[in-house]
């Protein structure tokens, strides 16, 4: 046989040295996507950052039961929700910051994720947060 006995050792060492163990791959991809929120990022660019070929990254994500496009949507969705609840930014500004082409596409995405308009989502979450703060203040006063 013409196989090299150290190939699996090298593969294991490479994963350990580069931090690309499966548990950490998703976190690494998410982090890179979060760092580039207002840019259109490709799988190839993220793969290059991780020192992987695009095909290898795609295959490894599939082994983890996800896709690159799913991770992009997840990261964008989390950032949009955060901007809607933690800032007073307009939808145009949020769309620009997160990489949507315009506010109309952002509105459709928020409606798809939450079942409500961006303004409705923002109002509801802020109302819930306000209620929680009041409850905590009341509990402190009673203690």
């Amino acid at each position: 046989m013409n196989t090299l006995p150290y190939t699996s050792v090298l593969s294991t060492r490479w994963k350990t040295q580069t931090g690309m163990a499966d548990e950490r791959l998703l976190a690494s991809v998410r982090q890179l996507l979060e760092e580039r929120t207002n840019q259109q990022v490709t799988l190839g660019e993220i793969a290059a950052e991780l020192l992987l070929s695009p095909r290898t990254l795609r295959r490894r994500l599939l082994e983890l039961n996800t896709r690159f496009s799913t991770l992009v949507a997840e990261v964008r969705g989390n950032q949009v929700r955060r901007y809607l609840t933690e800032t007073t930014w307009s939808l145009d500004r949020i769309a620009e910051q997160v990489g949507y082409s315009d506010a109309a596409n952002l509105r459709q995405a928020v409606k798809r994720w939450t079942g409500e308009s961006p303004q409705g989502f923002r109002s509801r979450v802020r109302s819930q947060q306000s209620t929680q703060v009041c409850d905590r203040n009341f509990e402190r006063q009673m203690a």
Side-chain angles (χ1 to χ4, degrees), residues 78-93:
N78 290 339
Q79 290 175 332
V80 167
R81 287 181 194 92
R82 192 186 68 197
Y83 290 142
L84 284 171
T85 58
E86 296 177 6
T87 72
T88 58
W89 291 355
S90 69
L91 291 182
D92 287 324
R93 182 164 181 198

Side-chain angles (χ1 to χ4, degrees), residues 36-88:
R36 294 158 178 81
T37 55
N38 60 349
Q39 303 169 14
Q40 295 295 327
V41 182
T42 67
L43 179 127
E45 292 168 342
I46 297 298
E49 287 278 332
L50 298 172
L51 305 176
L52 298 171
S53 72
R55 184 174 181 202
T56 298
L57 178 57
R58 184 178 298 111
R59 179 179 43 79
R60 294 202 40 213
L61 290 175
L62 286 174
E63 288 170 359
L64 296 168
N65 298 316
T66 193
R67 295 178 183 275
F68 182 73
S69 60
T70 302
L71 294 176
V72 170
E74 177 186 306
V75 167
R76 274 185 166 183
N78 290 339
Q79 290 175 332
V80 167
R81 287 181 194 92
R82 192 186 68 197
Y83 290 142
L84 284 171
T85 58
E86 296 177 6
T87 72
T88 58

Side-chain angles (χ1 to χ4, degrees), residues 84 88-107 118-119 122:
L84 284 171
T88 58
W89 291 355
S90 69
L91 291 182
D92 287 324
R93 182 164 181 198
I94 293 171
E96 180 182 324
Q97 186 68 31
V98 180
Y100 280 89
S101 58
D102 58 33
N105 287 328
L106 175 63
R107 276 188 205 90
Q119 293 81 1
R122 180 178 261 169

